[in-house]
Amino acid sequence: MEKGKKTAFYGMFLALALVAGYVEQLLPINLGVPGVKLGLANIVTMVLLYTMGVRAASGITAIRVLLSGILFGTGFSIVYSAAGAALSIFVMAFLKRTKRFSCVGISVAGGVFHNVGQILVAVLVLETGALVYYLPVLILSGLAAGIVIGIISGILIRRLTPVIRKGMEE
């Protein structure tokens, strides 16, 4: 694929991820535990992981985390999101490489490890191990969100892979 087309594809995916993240902030989800979110932007990460590879998924996710933090969050939100995203992508890429897990399974792992990464950073930043008590609820929310995101991502991956591959070849 020529460089201009690749840049356009990446820009489109970045824009979709930013919009998905912004829309998610508008949704009134309150389960009594801070940080519980559906992770709509992770649909874009999953599609990228399966259609364009780990490098593209990691790069676009890193830029999205930074821009989302600047536009809609704080410095701390960037740190927490970056930690969660990095651990999540690492685990998802590893599991995908084994070829033993479905798209839903990989998404669930990503959702769970995103929350684990955020808790680890929070424990370090706030210097208290008490935050580990949030982990069971966050693991359950990551599991539930991962299932939803995995199902949606699987549908999109099946439908978009031929379109993306065709666009990359032209």
Side-chain angles (χ1 to χ4, degrees):
M1 174 192 285
E2 65 184 67
K3 190 174 184 175
K5 279 189 179 187
K6 197 177 234 182
T7 302
F9 264 96
Y10 290 157
M12 178 189 68
F13 280 116
L14 177 59
L16 285 169
L18 283 169
V19 168
Y22 179 70
V23 166
E24 183 172 40
Q25 288 187 341
L26 300 176
L27 298 175
I29 298 175
N30 185 359
L31 300 176
V33 177
V36 174
K37 296 191 315 186
L38 188 54
L40 294 176
N42 292 330
I43 294 169
V44 175
T45 302
M46 289 289 293
V47 170
L48 281 166
L49 183 64
Y50 276 83
T51 60
M52 298 182 90
V54 175
R55 197 172 189 179
S58 300
I60 296 301
T61 299
I63 296 167
R64 176 192 52 87
V65 165
L66 182 63
L67 289 176
S68 291
I70 291 168
L71 294 171
F72 317 120
T74 65
F76 281 118
S77 66
I78 294 172
V79 172
Y80 292 124
S81 293
L87 186 57
S88 174
I89 287 178
F90 176 80
V91 169
M92 290 190 303
F94 174 77
L95 294 179
K96 183 178 179 289
R97 192 172 203 166
T98 68
K99 300 182 193 267
R100 293 182 179 175
F101 296 89
S102 69
C103 184
V104 172
I106 290 170
S107 178
V108 166
V112 168
F113 278 93
H114 183 88
N115 290 338
V116 169
Q118 288 186 322
I119 285 291
L120 289 174
V121 167
V123 165
L124 292 172
V125 168
L126 300 173
E127 297 178 348
T128 177
L131 294 173
V132 174
Y133 292 113
Y134 281 117
L135 209 47
V137 173
L138 291 176
I139 287 172
L140 289 175
S141 74
L143 179 93
I147 290 169
V148 172
I149 297 303
I151 291 169
I152 294 169
S153 297
I155 292 166
L156 289 173
I157 290 163
R158 280 191 299 278
R159 293 186 181 187
L160 292 178
T161 297
V163 174
I164 292 169
R165 290 211 172 118
K166 183 180 179 191
M168 288 171 46
E169 291 171 1
E170 292 179 351

